[in-house]
């Protein structure tokens, strides 16, 4: 397992947990606007940029624990691929390996079926 990929995966999963919490708040707003504001889920720990995404789209991205939403240009091409480019945000998917593994293990929704 490569260390850099793992670190990036962990950072992104941590931001995902922040967004899980924001989602509760966003749910109230998205009922009216259909969009929500989330923190960029890129691998940079220092990055605190926000992006706006349609609530439905975000749910779709989150269905796959290896997919993340980021501010365009924040992708890490050595560990992830941009699978979708939208106005205001990109969707990236982790390649198989350290980052994808870390993302899966830290998925707050626990899709591992461990419990
Ligand atoms: Zn970012």
């Amino acid at each position: 397992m490569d260390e850099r990929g793992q670190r990036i995966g962990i950072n992104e999963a941590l931001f995902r947990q922040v967004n899980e919490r924001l989602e509760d708040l966003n749910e109230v707003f998205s009922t009216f606007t259909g969009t929500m504001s989330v923190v960029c889920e890129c691998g940079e720990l220092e990055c605190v940029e926000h992006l706006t995404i349609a609530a439905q789209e975000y749910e779709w991205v989150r269905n796959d624990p290896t997919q993340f939403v980021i501010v365009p240009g924040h992708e890490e091409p050595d560990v992830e691929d941009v699978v979708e480019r939208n106005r205001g945000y990109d969707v990236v998917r982790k390649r198989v390996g350290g980052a994808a593994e870390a993302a899966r293990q830290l998925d707050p929704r626990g899709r591992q079926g461990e419990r």
Side-chain angles (χ1 to χ4, degrees):
M1 194 180 283
D2 63 304
E3 241 174 64
R4 179 180 144 73
Q6 199 180 16
R7 181 182 62 79
I8 291 168
I10 288 169
N11 285 352
E12 291 180 343
L14 286 177
F15 276 112
R16 169 152 295 172
Q17 286 176 15
V18 172
N19 283 335
E20 270 299 306
R21 306 232 150 63
L22 286 177
E23 205 177 355
D24 294 340
L25 295 172
N26 270 311
E27 242 163 58
V28 178
F29 297 110
S30 68
T31 306
F32 300 103
T33 63
T35 62
M36 45 196 288
S37 175
V38 298
V39 179
C40 174
E41 297 178 335
C42 79
E44 282 303 317
L45 199 53
E46 297 80 22
C47 177
V48 290
E49 287 186 49
H50 281 68
L51 53 92
T52 302
I53 181 170
Q56 278 183 328
E57 176 75 4
Y58 191 60
E59 273 307 307
W60 173 80
V61 173
R62 296 293 292 279
N63 252 337
D64 183 340
T66 63
Q67 288 187 158
F68 295 87
V69 289
I70 59 163
V71 171
H74 286 206
E75 71 266 19
E76 307 278 353
D78 54 333
V79 297
E80 60 203 13
D81 295 307
V82 176
V83 293
E84 216 180 288
R85 291 191 190 277
N86 286 290
R87 194 196 303 222
Y89 66 91
D90 286 348
V91 178
V92 293
R93 183 181 291 136
K94 295 272 158 269
R95 286 200 204 98
V96 182
E101 258 325 295
R104 271 205 196 87
Q105 282 165 16
L106 291 169
D107 182 12
R109 295 187 179 182
R111 289 177 184 280
Q112 287 278 80
E114 284 169 347
R115 263 185 289 180

